[in-house]
Amino acid sequence: AAGASAVVIFNQGNIPTREGLIVGSLGFATVGIPVVGASFADGAALAQPGSVARVRVQNVTVTSWNVVAESRGGASGRVVILGGHLDSVVDGPGIQDNGSGSAALLETAVMMRKVEPTNRVRFAWWGAEELGLIGSTAYVGALSPAELDAVAVYLNFDMIGSPNYVRFVYDGDGSDSGNPGPAGSDAIEAFFGGFYTARGLPSEPTPFNGRSDYAPFASAGVPVGGLFTGAEGIKTAGEAAVYGGTAGAPYDPCYHQACDTYANVSAGVLDLNADALAASALHFGMAADLPSVARRPAALSSREAHDHVAIAE
């Protein structure tokens, strides 16, 4: 609208991990002009008076996929979804981000074949998360009102084996961040906090910042929560005193980098969090008192209304 013929978005450059080439996404937006990414240095050079840039882009259509599997049994109107993204950034193999969450989900799904859950349990491995939560956003957007209303909780597992970890649990009740999740998210936070407490282990609340696949579910009113062990954030001295590791260093020193290999994972915290993930699948898969969900339009058939009340109860 301002007359630009192209846009260059460059990295922010405030810390070393924010200086390289940024490969981002416009999500689902269509702007009609080329938009490209640049490193902090290139962007700063282009921002100087008199600089000239010639932008040429080639459009390529690529298909990405979500992988979804669910239990054969369990109430179809009471769905528990556990998810994590399957893709990595272009610059790295993504073994911690998010091979850690994807692998723990897969192992739990395999083990859940031995279980007959009371509620329907659905596992999801999201595509194109690193390009702007595209896979999970498309999935939620494609659900019918009835299908969305059946989703009782969404549990997210994105980066659960950081080498310089803190045991973070999403702040469902907003008591620490002032930004609670949708109603019912507090029950998810309480479960994971209780899992650690029962083992004599501390944990910390972490805010919902919209940077992972819980975001489209939260926007739709679904109770959300999950685990996280830290990304490019810096570990404090207080956190190091509680959890060990290195104060003043990133939780994940190889976040979005080529060094995000098997060597970039804490096997200990991954093993613990895989247990927590599996425990949550069993807990919510068997729970009779799932967080209530009330998102359907007012115009319901009598049968739908009856089913809806039963779900909420």
Side-chain angles (χ1 to χ4, degrees):
S5 57
V7 176
V8 179
I9 299 176
F10 64 99
N11 217 336
Q12 61 201 55
N14 60 319
I15 56 177
T17 56
R18 293 295 191 182
E19 292 180 352
L21 172 66
I22 186 169
V23 181
S25 170
L26 299 178
F28 295 92
T30 301
V31 297
I33 59 175
V35 182
V36 298
S39 68
F40 175 74
D42 288 343
L46 288 171
Q48 300 305 309
S51 65
V52 176
R54 293 177 175 85
V55 177
R56 179 177 181 267
V57 299
Q58 180 180 4
N59 292 325
V60 178
T61 300
V62 177
T63 300
S64 183
W65 301 93
N66 297 324
V67 179
V68 181
E70 69 174 34
S71 59
R72 291 186 175 93
S76 60
R78 298 164 59 88
V79 180
V80 175
I81 303 181
L82 301 90
H85 70 89
L86 195 56
D87 62 322
S88 69
V89 295
V90 173
D91 290 340
I95 300 302
Q96 147 66 1
D97 183 17
N98 180 39
S100 59
S102 292
L105 281 166
L106 179 59
E107 180 65 13
T108 300
V110 170
M111 294 295 103
M112 283 291 288
R113 294 182 62 186
K114 305 174 183 178
V115 178
E116 296 183 5
T118 302
N119 308 310
R120 191 67 54 91
V121 178
R122 186 177 300 161
F123 294 90
W125 293 264
W126 308 116
E129 187 268 359
E130 298 288 7
L131 296 176
L133 314 182
I134 293 175
S136 56
T137 300
Y139 178 85
V140 174
L143 294 176
S144 70
E147 289 171 331
L148 178 61
D149 192 66
V151 181
V153 294
Y154 173 72
L155 312 177
N156 195 67
F157 303 94
D158 183 3
M159 303 181 66
I160 60 171
S162 306
N164 197 26
Y165 66 87
V166 167
R167 289 185 287 269
F168 287 120
V169 176
Y170 284 110
D171 187 19
D173 63 7
S175 60
D176 185 75
S177 63
N179 179 35
S185 302
D186 56 339
I188 302 173
E189 179 186 9
F191 170 79
F192 285 117
F195 176 91
Y196 290 132
T197 299
R199 288 155 180 78
L201 298 172
S203 61
E204 306 289 334
T206 189
F208 292 112
N209 57 17
R211 288 176 55 181
S212 195
D213 291 298
Y214 59 78
F217 287 92
S219 294
V222 176
V224 295
L227 303 177
F228 176 55
T229 50
E232 80 276 25
I234 303 301
K235 192 171 212 174
T236 67
E239 291 169 342
V242 174
Y243 298 96
T246 305
Y251 302 115
D252 182 350
C254 290
Y255 175 66
H256 284 188
Q257 299 178 57
C259 57
D260 187 11
T261 65
Y262 291 109
N264 189 48
V265 175
S266 165
V269 78
L270 176 58
D271 180 56
L272 174 70
N273 282 341
D275 289 346
L277 188 162
S280 71
L282 287 172
H283 173 78
F284 290 103
M286 297 295 190
D289 57 344
L290 287 170
S292 62
V293 183
R295 292 181 300 276
R296 285 195 185 181
L300 299 173
S301 70
S302 60
R303 179 60 184 171
E304 287 176 326
H306 173 79
D307 290 346
H308 176 64
V309 170
I311 293 169
E313 291 172 349

